[in-house]
Amino acid sequence: MGEPSFEDRKREQRLVTSRAVVSGVLVILVLSVVVLRLRYLQMDRHEHFSVLSKDNRVKIQPVPPTRGLIYDANGVVLADNRPTFSLEITVEKVEDLKATIDELARIIPIDDKDRARFERLKRQRMRFQGVPIRLNLTPSEVARFSVDGYRFPGVDVRAELIRIYPLSEATAHVLGYVGRINERDLTQIDTGNYAGTHFIGKGGLEKAHEDVLHGRVGYQQVEVNARGRVLRTLEGSPPTPGQDLLLYLDMALQQSAIDALGDRRGAVVAIDPRTGGVLAMVSKPSFNPNLFVEGISQADYEALLHSLDKPLFDRAARGQYPPGSTVKPFIGLGGLNANFITPKKITFCPGHFSLPGQSHRFRCWKRTGHGSTNLEKAIVESCDVYFYDLASRMGIDRLYGFLSQFSFGERTGIDLSGELPGLLPSREWKQRVRKQAWYPGETLIVGIGQGSFLATPLQLAAATATMANRGHFIQPRLARASRFPGADTESQFPLVSRQMETIDSHHWDEVIKDMAQVVESPRGTAKRIRSPDYRIAGKTGTSQVFTIGQKETYDESKVSDRMRDHALFVAFAPVEDPRIAVAVLVENGGHGGSDAAPVARRVIDAYLGGTPLAGPVEASDGD
Amino acid sequence: MATKPISTGAIPSGFDLDLEAAPPSILRRLHLDPPLLLGLLALCGFGLLVLYSAGDRNPLIVERQLLRLSLAFGFMCGVAQLSPVTLRNWSMPLYFLGVLMLIAVMLFGDIGKGAQRWLDFGFLRFQPSEILKLGVPMAVAWLLSMRPLPPRLSWTFLAVILILIPVLMIAEQPDLGTSLLVTSAGILVLFMAGLRWRIILALAVLIAAIAPLVWFFAMHDYQRARVLTFLNPESDPLGTGYHIIQSQIAIGSGGISGKGWLNGTQSHLEFLPERHTDFIFAVIGEEFGLTGILALLVLYLFIILRGLVIAARAADNYGRILAGGLTLVFFVYLFVNVGMVTGLLPVVGVPLPLISYGGTSMVTLMAGFGMLMSIETHKK
């Protein structure tokens, strides 16, 4: 680039200056057009607009839709709307908040709790959206305020529908709850459609089906006086109400699952294998969701949040636990399918297993060993060594490929917000997350469902349902259909399903027979729950909470309560024509056979109508 | 004209204050340009007055706006201290920073209201397209000032690519308003650089040819709806049309002298939506009438003409075309907003510069004015 001459510079400067002048002229021209437009609006049509402005008494107000209700399979109302009156302050319109509230308190009782809630909600409000200072006004309080209301600009009584969950704790984790719309929600929603709506689903079904439950906003034209108060309603388009949700959930079954768990922490998920419909979904302990609807107090919230029992935690869909021996039938099926074993093949269990050339001993839960073990015995007595051997021969890649078809390691896709995917370990996962190569020893641990392998009770139930369906995976669903309030027709939610790789029906027969033997054989780990009325296929499991050293033994009495193993049980029944698949988790419960299996039996009894299981069960010897 | 020989253009002398003759004032040493500073202060002062009324006398709104304004003025002063050489050296790094952040938004951004525009840093949310409102004109000015003006066709082409990369990404978010503003910022710098008229003509024809394609293939439904509503506001009296109808009633009923400060019925009975943000111009029209609006427009015109004078008098090509481009973008802001509120243009969410309530664009605008001041005051 040559040094530009003085002449060139002069010319460039003239060029830019001329452009500046042209721009200036253009700016003035465009502004003149604006001024002409303003002259037209403000002088030529001033009379017209003046009249319009004076007559401008018609305001357009949004009319929020009524939120849909939620019903169980038998029409029991799980989420209802209750009409209430509340006293609201539009903060932006009030000059001295404190004085206003003090003055209000002379007409209508307002206590410290009300004030605290007001302060809390005020911080999260949308602009120009009223904040409630008192809820649940009585009719006489409403009357008192309407007499004195003119003295309080910016304070209004509002009639609104408040969500109520009549069954409270029994449905808390499934339904979730609604809460006031806050700034963060605002970024996620179509604000036009939520003009006038104050509540939005914050979790569970309420959040997952928000679009169905909410409906579409309507508008009305209202005539207002010079102070902005509404005189009468002229016309408008009514809102489209939210649709009711009809669930697969059966409250009677839900309640029996809750009762069966008793005071223990844990989860129960029951699925109808034919539809994928969730019949019961329990996480204990639970909480009262009604506290959250109008804004829970700080103290109550802290108490729930910091409780050692974690009542807010949804163990059914968000609790991730090592699935333990409950995965053995699935792995056995994979072994049969890929010809690594036959039903007759024998593995000798001396009580421990070592990889060739390594001294590390992987132990069987039965220290003395199971001796000669075929697949049936390995499932019925839950032999670890058999599955160490099978897993090590199949290899992690094949295990991963097979188990993931049962939805292990990925979300089942249930219509519930916040479901977690568990973890099915793989070479790729270990490299990505731990930046390490896969060790053969880890394959063995996966083979008995421990270590990094994690699954939610929901996943276990879905996998068991897939087993009952012989390879047909149906996405679990809570909501069966939606229906406009009062309408006769309902619209069914579509079933989402997929077929696993083709597996010889003999293999299914073998594994399902072995699972039935877990309950029916005198040596079965769940023999105590055998029912006279129908046949159950099941598998017990123990989910290790902490690891024992090479030389130590797991001694229940020495381990503190919260470090004790979790008890697991998966089952479906009847074996011939499965109608229910269940997964039970009892946190720190100890043994699958003695602690989790009876819970499953009671749930299946409640559903199929069997003779109740009698008496307490003695401790089991197995895993 | 009583100034140095440097101002060769036929600039109206009223805006060309004779400052060099006097000994360097304190403002001068602080690298602030008195006429521009005065204009901006007057404008913002008037803005606060209007905001007090438009925000229903809520002192909190005025307080927050004052805080933002102080921040923005501080930013302007800071930028003014940098020499044009520094600005020039930072042009491309700023541009690339902006583009990188746009990519980050695409990958990790928050999806709000169907549009993905924000980067969330936890404590604050930030819109990277703001950086590019300055980054694009700076980069184009940097590119074009490397060669003699006017730019040749190949350099024009390079400049267009510099503009298009971020604009397409912003339009993808989708944010039509901002992508239009960023495009015009780049093109206006090209214009100031002396882009030949026949190329300008060709571009105009090209845009006219592409417009139908954009309409059918690139626009989202809601964007199309806005244009349709603009053509016929009565067709949608509940949605966007409502804004346009109500704002015209507000302005029209203001008449010549207005209804008086704090007395606008349209504004205070809440007929006028978004009255303290995008539609604040209608409040001015209603309460201060044509007289008030003319005064406001004269104030804007003064700032714009002063900016153009600074451009014409700048020491080098970079300063000249950047100053001109930034000034003209300011005008585009003004026109898009006023055009929208008075019904001349479709509803595009662009605030009235330096007056509407809200912070993001204010800092960018004032940083731009800081550059103008730097260009004016760092001359030898």
Side-chain angles (χ1 to χ4, degrees), chain A residues 450-477:
Chain A
Q450 306 288 356
S452 334
F453 195 171
L454 299 174
T456 64
L458 172 65
Q459 279 178 318
L460 287 174
T464 308
T466 309
M467 178 70 88
N469 280 341
R470 294 170 172 247
H472 188 59
F473 173 86
I474 306 179
Q475 202 172 69
R477 277 206 83 89

mmCIF file of all heavy atoms in Angstrom, chain A residues 450-477:
data_model
loop_
_atom_site.group_PDB
_atom_site.id
_atom_site.type_symbol
_atom_site.label_atom_id
_atom_site.label_comp_id
_atom_site.label_asym_id
_atom_site.label_seq_id
_atom_site.Cartn_x
_atom_site.Cartn_y
_atom_site.Cartn_z
ATOM 1 N N GLN A 450 -24.101 -53.663 40.586
ATOM 2 C CA GLN A 450 -23.560 -52.772 41.618
ATOM 3 C C GLN A 450 -22.594 -51.774 40.983
ATOM 4 O O GLN A 450 -22.530 -51.651 39.766
ATOM 5 C CB GLN A 450 -22.844 -53.580 42.708
ATOM 6 C CG GLN A 450 -23.652 -54.669 43.336
ATOM 7 C CD GLN A 450 -24.761 -54.157 44.264
ATOM 8 O OE1 GLN A 450 -24.885 -52.964 44.509
ATOM 9 N NE2 GLN A 450 -25.583 -55.076 44.755
ATOM 10 N N GLY A 451 -21.852 -51.078 41.819
ATOM 11 C CA GLY A 451 -20.850 -50.144 41.315
ATOM 12 C C GLY A 451 -21.511 -48.887 40.756
ATOM 13 O O GLY A 451 -22.418 -48.331 41.354
ATOM 14 N N SER A 452 -21.060 -48.468 39.576
ATOM 15 C CA SER A 452 -21.585 -47.224 38.999
ATOM 16 C C SER A 452 -22.958 -47.408 38.372
ATOM 17 O O SER A 452 -23.596 -46.447 38.005
ATOM 18 C CB SER A 452 -20.649 -46.695 37.915
ATOM 19 O OG SER A 452 -19.350 -47.125 38.112
ATOM 20 N N PHE A 453 -23.392 -48.652 38.187
ATOM 21 C CA PHE A 453 -24.681 -48.952 37.588
ATOM 22 C C PHE A 453 -25.791 -48.391 38.480
ATOM 23 O O PHE A 453 -25.881 -48.714 39.653
ATOM 24 C CB PHE A 453 -24.810 -50.481 37.486
ATOM 25 C CG PHE A 453 -25.918 -50.973 36.581
ATOM 26 C CD1 PHE A 453 -26.005 -52.326 36.255
ATOM 27 C CD2 PHE A 453 -26.869 -50.115 36.051
ATOM 28 C CE1 PHE A 453 -27.002 -52.809 35.417
ATOM 29 C CE2 PHE A 453 -27.872 -50.581 35.215
ATOM 30 C CZ PHE A 453 -27.942 -51.930 34.900
ATOM 31 N N LEU A 454 -26.620 -47.500 37.928
ATOM 32 C CA LEU A 454 -27.707 -46.904 38.702
ATOM 33 C C LEU A 454 -29.010 -46.976 37.914
ATOM 34 O O LEU A 454 -29.010 -46.843 36.696
ATOM 35 C CB LEU A 454 -27.420 -45.430 39.020
ATOM 36 C CG LEU A 454 -26.176 -45.101 39.851
ATOM 37 C CD1 LEU A 454 -25.996 -43.591 39.929
ATOM 38 C CD2 LEU A 454 -26.321 -45.685 41.249
ATOM 39 N N ALA A 455 -30.089 -47.219 38.642
ATOM 40 C CA ALA A 455 -31.406 -47.211 37.993
ATOM 41 C C ALA A 455 -32.418 -46.631 38.961
ATOM 42 O O ALA A 455 -32.262 -46.722 40.175
ATOM 43 C CB ALA A 455 -31.808 -48.628 37.594
ATOM 44 N N THR A 456 -33.454 -46.011 38.436
ATOM 45 C CA THR A 456 -34.536 -45.510 39.288
ATOM 46 C C THR A 456 -35.562 -46.623 39.442
ATOM 47 O O THR A 456 -35.663 -47.501 38.587
ATOM 48 C CB THR A 456 -35.216 -44.295 38.649
ATOM 49 O OG1 THR A 456 -35.845 -44.714 37.431
ATOM 50 C CG2 THR A 456 -34.225 -43.190 38.341
ATOM 51 N N PRO A 457 -36.331 -46.596 40.538
ATOM 52 C CA PRO A 457 -37.409 -47.592 40.685
ATOM 53 C C PRO A 457 -38.342 -47.581 39.468
ATOM 54 O O PRO A 457 -38.814 -48.637 39.046
ATOM 55 C CB PRO A 457 -38.128 -47.128 41.958
ATOM 56 C CG PRO A 457 -37.045 -46.479 42.770
ATOM 57 C CD PRO A 457 -36.158 -45.795 41.762
ATOM 58 N N LEU A 458 -38.559 -46.389 38.891
ATOM 59 C CA LEU A 458 -39.403 -46.316 37.702
ATOM 60 C C LEU A 458 -38.800 -47.117 36.555
ATOM 61 O O LEU A 458 -39.493 -47.868 35.861
ATOM 62 C CB LEU A 458 -39.573 -44.846 37.287
ATOM 63 C CG LEU A 458 -40.276 -44.610 35.955
ATOM 64 C CD1 LEU A 458 -41.718 -45.081 36.015
ATOM 65 C CD2 LEU A 458 -40.220 -43.135 35.571
ATOM 66 N N GLN A 459 -37.489 -46.986 36.370
ATOM 67 C CA GLN A 459 -36.827 -47.761 35.310
ATOM 68 C C GLN A 459 -36.944 -49.255 35.556
ATOM 69 O O GLN A 459 -37.173 -50.024 34.625
ATOM 70 C CB GLN A 459 -35.341 -47.388 35.241
ATOM 71 C CG GLN A 459 -35.080 -46.101 34.479
ATOM 72 C CD GLN A 459 -33.613 -45.756 34.494
ATOM 73 O OE1 GLN A 459 -32.952 -45.896 35.524
ATOM 74 N NE2 GLN A 459 -33.105 -45.289 33.373
ATOM 75 N N LEU A 460 -36.783 -49.641 36.825
ATOM 76 C CA LEU A 460 -36.881 -51.069 37.140
ATOM 77 C C LEU A 460 -38.277 -51.589 36.825
ATOM 78 O O LEU A 460 -38.442 -52.678 36.264
ATOM 79 C CB LEU A 460 -36.544 -51.312 38.614
ATOM 80 C CG LEU A 460 -35.058 -51.174 38.957
ATOM 81 C CD1 LEU A 460 -34.838 -51.285 40.461
ATOM 82 C CD2 LEU A 460 -34.257 -52.265 38.237
ATOM 83 N N ALA A 461 -39.299 -50.793 37.164
ATOM 84 C CA ALA A 461 -40.664 -51.221 36.879
ATOM 85 C C ALA A 461 -40.887 -51.316 35.373
ATOM 86 O O ALA A 461 -41.496 -52.271 34.882
ATOM 87 C CB ALA A 461 -41.664 -50.250 37.501
ATOM 88 N N ALA A 462 -40.363 -50.328 34.636
ATOM 89 C CA ALA A 462 -40.553 -50.333 33.183
ATOM 90 C C ALA A 462 -39.827 -51.523 32.559
ATOM 91 O O ALA A 462 -40.346 -52.177 31.644
ATOM 92 C CB ALA A 462 -40.057 -49.012 32.587
ATOM 93 N N ALA A 463 -38.617 -51.837 33.065
ATOM 94 C CA ALA A 463 -37.863 -52.969 32.528
ATOM 95 C C ALA A 463 -38.583 -54.281 32.835
ATOM 96 O O ALA A 463 -38.637 -55.188 32.005
ATOM 97 C CB ALA A 463 -36.455 -52.982 33.126
ATOM 98 N N THR A 464 -39.167 -54.362 34.051
ATOM 99 C CA THR A 464 -39.894 -55.572 34.416
ATOM 100 C C THR A 464 -41.139 -55.735 33.541
ATOM 101 O O THR A 464 -41.482 -56.841 33.121
ATOM 102 C CB THR A 464 -40.286 -55.508 35.909
ATOM 103 O OG1 THR A 464 -39.106 -55.226 36.664
ATOM 104 C CG2 THR A 464 -40.880 -56.812 36.381
ATOM 105 N N ALA A 465 -41.804 -54.593 33.260
ATOM 106 C CA ALA A 465 -42.974 -54.652 32.372
ATOM 107 C C ALA A 465 -42.550 -55.131 30.986
ATOM 108 O O ALA A 465 -43.261 -55.893 30.339
ATOM 109 C CB ALA A 465 -43.642 -53.280 32.292
ATOM 110 N N THR A 466 -41.375 -54.683 30.540
ATOM 111 C CA THR A 466 -40.874 -55.109 29.232
ATOM 112 C C THR A 466 -40.594 -56.613 29.243
ATOM 113 O O THR A 466 -40.849 -57.322 28.270
ATOM 114 C CB THR A 466 -39.590 -54.335 28.891
ATOM 115 O OG1 THR A 466 -39.841 -52.944 29.061
ATOM 116 C CG2 THR A 466 -39.159 -54.600 27.457
ATOM 117 N N MET A 467 -40.084 -57.105 30.380
ATOM 118 C CA MET A 467 -39.860 -58.543 30.536
ATOM 119 C C MET A 467 -41.198 -59.265 30.446
ATOM 120 O O MET A 467 -41.348 -60.265 29.731
ATOM 121 C CB MET A 467 -39.181 -58.800 31.896
ATOM 122 C CG MET A 467 -38.930 -60.249 32.232
ATOM 123 S SD MET A 467 -37.647 -60.996 31.199
ATOM 124 C CE MET A 467 -36.166 -60.597 32.123
ATOM 125 N N ALA A 468 -42.222 -58.747 31.152
ATOM 126 C CA ALA A 468 -43.542 -59.367 31.146
ATOM 127 C C ALA A 468 -44.126 -59.374 29.733
ATOM 128 O O ALA A 468 -44.829 -60.306 29.344
ATOM 129 C CB ALA A 468 -44.472 -58.618 32.101
ATOM 130 N N ASN A 469 -43.803 -58.326 28.971
ATOM 131 C CA ASN A 469 -44.298 -58.211 27.597
ATOM 132 C C ASN A 469 -43.428 -58.950 26.594
ATOM 133 O O ASN A 469 -43.631 -58.813 25.401
ATOM 134 C CB ASN A 469 -44.319 -56.734 27.167
ATOM 135 C CG ASN A 469 -45.526 -56.010 27.690
ATOM 136 O OD1 ASN A 469 -46.503 -56.638 28.051
ATOM 137 N ND2 ASN A 469 -45.457 -54.697 27.729
ATOM 138 N N ARG A 470 -42.442 -59.629 27.074
ATOM 139 C CA ARG A 470 -41.504 -60.350 26.207
ATOM 140 C C ARG A 470 -40.908 -59.455 25.123
ATOM 141 O O ARG A 470 -40.944 -59.766 23.937
ATOM 142 C CB ARG A 470 -42.207 -61.555 25.574
ATOM 143 C CG ARG A 470 -42.577 -62.579 26.637
ATOM 144 C CD ARG A 470 -43.471 -63.660 26.085
ATOM 145 N NE ARG A 470 -43.626 -64.690 27.104
ATOM 146 C CZ ARG A 470 -43.144 -65.935 26.990
ATOM 147 N NH1 ARG A 470 -42.495 -66.312 25.906
ATOM 148 N NH2 ARG A 470 -43.320 -66.796 27.955
ATOM 149 N N GLY A 471 -40.375 -58.329 25.588
ATOM 150 C CA GLY A 471 -39.574 -57.510 24.668
ATOM 151 C C GLY A 471 -40.285 -56.314 24.078
ATOM 152 O O GLY A 471 -39.683 -55.551 23.345
ATOM 153 N N HIS A 472 -41.554 -56.145 24.414
ATOM 154 C CA HIS A 472 -42.256 -54.985 23.895
ATOM 155 C C HIS A 472 -42.181 -53.876 24.949
ATOM 156 O O HIS A 472 -42.833 -53.973 25.997
ATOM 157 C CB HIS A 472 -43.704 -55.357 23.591
ATOM 158 C CG HIS A 472 -44.455 -54.284 22.874
ATOM 159 N ND1 HIS A 472 -44.051 -53.789 21.651
ATOM 160 C CD2 HIS A 472 -45.564 -53.597 23.207
ATOM 161 C CE1 HIS A 472 -44.897 -52.846 21.263
ATOM 162 N NE2 HIS A 472 -45.815 -52.705 22.193
ATOM 163 N N PHE A 473 -41.378 -52.826 24.684
ATOM 164 C CA PHE A 473 -41.228 -51.727 25.650
ATOM 165 C C PHE A 473 -42.291 -50.675 25.380
ATOM 166 O O PHE A 473 -42.383 -50.149 24.276
ATOM 167 C CB PHE A 473 -39.835 -51.105 25.536
ATOM 168 C CG PHE A 473 -39.662 -49.863 26.380
ATOM 169 C CD1 PHE A 473 -39.278 -49.947 27.711
ATOM 170 C CD2 PHE A 473 -39.906 -48.604 25.854
ATOM 171 C CE1 PHE A 473 -39.134 -48.812 28.487
ATOM 172 C CE2 PHE A 473 -39.765 -47.463 26.622
ATOM 173 C CZ PHE A 473 -39.385 -47.572 27.944
ATOM 174 N N ILE A 474 -43.102 -50.386 26.395
ATOM 175 C CA ILE A 474 -44.083 -49.311 26.256
ATOM 176 C C ILE A 474 -43.694 -48.199 27.224
ATOM 177 O O ILE A 474 -43.460 -48.450 28.401
ATOM 178 C CB ILE A 474 -45.510 -49.788 26.570
ATOM 179 C CG1 ILE A 474 -45.856 -51.014 25.722
ATOM 180 C CG2 ILE A 474 -46.505 -48.666 26.324
ATOM 181 C CD1 ILE A 474 -47.231 -51.566 25.992
ATOM 182 N N GLN A 475 -43.594 -46.994 26.702
ATOM 183 C CA GLN A 475 -43.204 -45.860 27.546
ATOM 184 C C GLN A 475 -44.219 -45.701 28.682
ATOM 185 O O GLN A 475 -45.420 -45.613 28.425
ATOM 186 C CB GLN A 475 -43.223 -44.602 26.684
ATOM 187 C CG GLN A 475 -42.380 -43.488 27.226
ATOM 188 C CD GLN A 475 -42.306 -42.351 26.219
ATOM 189 O OE1 GLN A 475 -43.287 -41.672 25.966
ATOM 190 N NE2 GLN A 475 -41.149 -42.162 25.632
ATOM 191 N N PRO A 476 -43.750 -45.658 29.942
ATOM 192 C CA PRO A 476 -44.691 -45.501 31.054
ATOM 193 C C PRO A 476 -45.409 -44.140 30.948
ATOM 194 O O PRO A 476 -44.804 -43.150 30.543
ATOM 195 C CB PRO A 476 -43.799 -45.516 32.292
ATOM 196 C CG PRO A 476 -42.485 -46.026 31.855
ATOM 197 C CD PRO A 476 -42.359 -45.736 30.395
ATOM 198 N N ARG A 477 -46.684 -44.148 31.292
ATOM 199 C CA ARG A 477 -47.458 -42.902 31.250
ATOM 200 C C ARG A 477 -48.333 -42.818 32.477
ATOM 201 O O ARG A 477 -48.911 -43.817 32.898
ATOM 202 C CB ARG A 477 -48.376 -42.874 30.026
ATOM 203 C CG ARG A 477 -47.729 -42.428 28.769
ATOM 204 C CD ARG A 477 -48.775 -41.840 27.842
ATOM 205 N NE ARG A 477 -49.040 -40.462 28.179
ATOM 206 C CZ ARG A 477 -48.363 -39.445 27.665
ATOM 207 N NH1 ARG A 477 -47.412 -39.638 26.811
ATOM 208 N NH2 ARG A 477 -48.649 -38.220 28.023
#
